[in-house]
Amino acid sequence: MRGSVKTMKTGFTLTVLLASGLGLGAVWAHSGATGIVKERMDAMTEIGDSVKSVGQMLKGEAPYNREKIADAGQAIAGHAGQALTDLFPEGSLHTPSEASPEIWADWAEFSKIAGTLKESAVALSDLAEAGAGEKDIAAAFGNVAGTCKACHEAFRIKK
Ligand code: HEC
């Protein structure tokens, strides 16, 4: 009984995070993107796909598979930290980029969130690898998803 309440709560949190922060399910492919803007949109799309696959497992919409969760965490981590910030050379805002000029006005904060994404994704992967329970995995996943949302709210302009 207690377990089911927790599951419901987790499910709710995930649904809210997924619906509000990430725009999952929306069409991401921006036609006409070139160069570094295309590169980072592609990287973000891959991150988004990984988040979506784990989210589906935690919501019971796909078979739960720790190995795949560990891989998804690694994939996200590989696009995070400096790999992420390297895709944002100063002033790279050409159409159809949704990046905010705030990125370069507050580079320290932007880099910090990129680093937090890497740490939280590695933590998720390590937990899955170590065979942690679903509740701990869901909490770690919540940290990852919260990081996406934090950065998008501050540094991405929805067009
Ligand atoms: C450190 C900041 C930062 C973090 C962390 C971050 N993003 Fe992004 N994301 C951005 C910015 C900035 C853009 C807009 C890039 C552009 O349009 O030039 C973006 C765009 C996107 C897009 C749209 C890509 C497209 O084709 O237009 C998706 C999807 C996305 N992010 C998913 C995620 C997910 C999922 C996470 C978390 C696992 C995440 N992002 C974490 C900054 C971040």
Side-chain angles (χ1 to χ4, degrees), residues 4-130:
S4 71
V5 169
K6 271 190 186 132
T7 307
M8 272 180 62
K9 256 196 169 163
T10 306
F12 175 74
T13 312
L14 290 177
T15 307
V16 169
L17 276 171
L18 293 176
S20 61
L22 311 177
L24 296 176
V27 178
W28 296 331
H30 285 100
S31 51
T34 55
I36 198 87
V37 169
K38 177 166 176 12
E39 247 182 80
R40 70 191 180 216
M41 283 180 166
D42 289 347
M44 283 288 166
T45 302
E46 279 180 39
I47 291 179
D49 288 345
S50 298
V51 165
K52 196 172 172 182
S53 77
V54 178
Q56 283 173 339
M57 286 185 231
L58 292 175
K59 285 191 285 176
E61 292 170 7
Y64 188 74
N65 181 324
R66 282 207 192 90
E67 232 166 79
K68 282 191 184 159
I69 295 175
D71 288 349
Q74 285 300 330
I76 296 166
H79 286 301
Q82 201 186 333
L84 192 161
T85 54
D86 278 351
L87 296 176
F88 288 88
E90 182 150 18
S92 54
L93 287 170
H94 53 276
T95 314
S97 177
E98 295 174 342
S100 160
E102 272 305 304
I103 290 170
W104 300 284
D106 199 352
W107 184 255
E109 179 65 12
F110 184 72
S111 310
K112 194 175 127 203
I113 303 178
T116 305
L117 177 61
K118 185 163 186 170
E119 282 159 28
S120 62
V122 168
L124 171 65
S125 181
D126 287 351
L127 272 174
E129 193 96 17

